[in-house]
Amino acid sequence: MNVDINANSKLIVLLSTYGNSPYYEEQINSLKNQEIPIEIVQRCDDFPDHLGINGSYRYLMSLVPKDCLYVFFCDQDDVWLPSKVSKMYNTMVEVESHYPGPILIHCDAMISDDKLQVKKSSFIRKWASRGDFFGTLMFNKVQGASMMINRCLLDLVADLPVSEIMYDRYIHLMAETTGERVFLDESLMYYRQHSLNAIGAGAKGKKLHFRFLNGDDRRIVKENEVFYSLHQSLLDSVKTSVLKDYIVFVSTRNPIKRMKLIVQYLWPYPVTFIKKMMRVFLP
């Protein structure tokens, strides 16, 4: 596959590791086997210099040289298909040809077991394929290890808060608030699930709840509050209006208001639509 890269552009993969992962070498090899060359910038977040995942990625972003145009984020125990970087790079170049601002490109992933046997062919498509801003406020549409950002977006997120909001959620919200998020609808990596995962993809062990907002909803509400307490001034008038509706949605106990907003905004997400309608009278 022939991919032309400007001689002045660099593609850097940021990799924060922790502990002695038995899958690290396999991931590193998948990065080295990409169709186009990349530079891996990594940091081990073990004690005594433990910064946490946000602190570690904030530090790694500070190491990115000024002449680097594109940055990828990587987990230590996944595996990338050889075409991942090239396909995302080509998509980025295409988007940049007609849009000069902050851009986030991300792809789908195959959920696999520890031996890379595929359990699900798609991880995030059912949320990520939709571009509505209310859905952005409701769901995590971007997986950190699937992200590629351009220099313009990197400059906006370099001062990443080190707590209260995950790094990928922060970058996701910044992209959709100030620029463009583009979903490449291909599963270009194995998202490996195993007993050592810090954050997983499955819903195992989730308890039946009797509340209108579940635990994920409440966590995302808090992350949205953190982000927009810092950056609400970046919203245009349309997104500001949607944010106001979202605040009503997560704060009101009035079932009529809830139903109106569910019908207005959540019809593209059938499972969530049904669940929220079933719980519209719950506290």
Side-chain angles (χ1 to χ4, degrees), residues 83-92 94 104-109 124-125 128-129 146 181-188:
S83 62
K84 180 176 186 287
V85 169
S86 61
K87 287 185 174 183
M88 295 182 71
Y89 172 79
N90 286 340
T91 302
M92 176 68 81
E94 179 183 354
L104 184 155
I105 308 293
H106 66 121
C107 65
D108 207 345
I124 210 161
R125 178 181 297 122
S129 60
S146 75
R181 173 186 67 88
V182 177
F183 176 56
L184 180 56
D185 193 1
E186 293 187 54
S187 294
L188 299 177

Side-chain angles (χ1 to χ4, degrees), residues 155-201:
D155 290 340
L156 289 175
V157 300
D159 291 330
L160 171 72
V162 297
S163 63
E164 298 182 298
I165 180 171
M166 286 294 291
Y167 79 97
D168 49 358
R169 180 66 177 167
Y170 184 85
I171 296 171
H172 172 199
L173 289 174
M174 185 65 79
E176 298 228 33
T177 298
T178 66
E180 295 284 340
R181 173 186 67 88
V182 177
F183 176 56
L184 180 56
D185 193 1
E186 293 187 54
S187 294
L188 299 177
M189 56 180 282
Y190 294 93
Y191 183 23
R192 195 195 309 254
Q193 298 296 288
H194 54 85
S195 60
L196 302 177
N197 279 122
I199 299 174

Side-chain angles (χ1 to χ4, degrees), residues 3-278:
V3 180
D4 295 323
I5 300 179
N6 188 297
N8 295 321
S9 70
K10 289 184 178 180
L11 289 83
I12 288 180
V13 176
L14 302 182
L15 170 59
S16 178
T17 66
Y18 183 80
N20 297 314
S21 170
Y23 312 110
Y24 170 79
E25 290 298 330
E26 195 171 8
Q27 172 64 311
I28 287 293
N29 288 335
S30 78
L31 300 181
K32 292 178 178 178
N33 290 330
Q34 290 299 300
E35 293 176 344
I36 57 178
I38 54 174
E39 181 179 351
I40 304 169
V41 178
Q42 60 181 308
R43 176 183 180 276
C44 181
D45 194 38
D46 290 341
F47 291 102
D49 300 318
H50 181 58
L51 300 178
I53 188 168
N54 278 18
S56 191
Y57 276 115
R58 176 174 172 146
Y59 178 75
L60 285 169
M61 286 191 286
S62 74
L63 301 179
V64 175
K66 292 297 182 183
D67 59 348
C68 172
L69 299 182
Y70 308 112
V71 169
F72 294 80
F73 294 82
C74 181
D75 285 345
Q76 67 183 3
D77 43 16
D78 300 328
V79 169
W80 291 12
L81 299 187
S83 62
K84 180 176 186 287
V85 169
S86 61
K87 287 185 174 183
M88 295 182 71
Y89 172 79
N90 286 340
T91 302
M92 176 68 81
V93 170
E94 179 183 354
V95 176
E96 284 189 324
S97 69
H98 57 79
Y99 179 75
I103 302 170
L104 184 155
I105 308 293
H106 66 121
C107 65
D108 207 345
M110 295 171 282
I111 301 176
S112 74
D113 62 17
D114 58 342
K115 295 179 175 59
L116 299 186
Q117 297 299 307
V118 176
K119 298 158 68 176
K120 291 184 179 180
S121 61
S122 171
F123 171 44
I124 210 161
R125 178 181 297 122
K126 60 184 176 181
W127 303 289
S129 60
R130 299 287 181 177
D132 60 304
F133 188 59
F134 194 89
T136 293
L137 297 171
M138 282 289 298
F139 310 110
N140 284 324
K141 294 185 176 184
V142 178
Q143 178 188 14
S146 75
M147 294 192 305
M148 173 192 188
I149 64 176
N150 65 355
R151 179 83 231 181
C152 188
L153 182 54
L154 176 65
D155 290 340
L156 289 175
V157 300
D159 291 330
L160 171 72
V162 297
S163 63
E164 298 182 298
I165 180 171
M166 286 294 291
Y167 79 97
D168 49 358
R169 180 66 177 167
Y170 184 85
I171 296 171
H172 172 199
L173 289 174
M174 185 65 79
E176 298 228 33
T177 298
T178 66
E180 295 284 340
R181 173 186 67 88
V182 177
F183 176 56
L184 180 56
D185 193 1
E186 293 187 54
S187 294
L188 299 177
M189 56 180 282
Y190 294 93
Y191 183 23
R192 195 195 309 254
Q193 298 296 288
H194 54 85
S195 60
L196 302 177
N197 279 122
I199 299 174
K204 288 183 179 180
K206 284 194 175 182
K207 296 179 180 179
L208 183 65
H209 68 93
F210 297 96
R211 301 186 66 86
F212 181 66
L213 301 180
N214 63 27
D216 287 340
D217 293 329
R218 294 193 293 272
R219 173 180 51 79
I220 291 173
V221 168
K222 291 180 179 178
E223 290 188 317
N224 291 339
E225 287 175 347
V226 170
F227 184 86
Y228 289 109
S229 68
L230 298 171
H231 302 301
Q232 188 167 348
S233 63
L234 298 175
L235 285 170
D236 60 26
S237 59
V238 174
K239 288 186 173 69
T240 296
S241 178
V242 175
L243 178 61
K244 289 179 180 178
D245 283 344
Y246 171 79
I247 292 171
V248 172
F249 178 80
V250 299
S251 60
T252 186
R253 293 291 185 90
N254 185 318
I256 303 302
K257 289 183 179 179
R258 284 177 173 176
M259 282 190 283
K260 179 181 177 181
L261 293 168
I262 290 168
V263 171
Q264 181 176 354
Y265 289 113
L266 292 182
W267 61 267
Y269 307 94
V271 174
T272 302
F273 180 94
I274 293 170
K275 286 182 177 180
K276 294 306 180 192
M277 278 297 192
M278 289 174 62

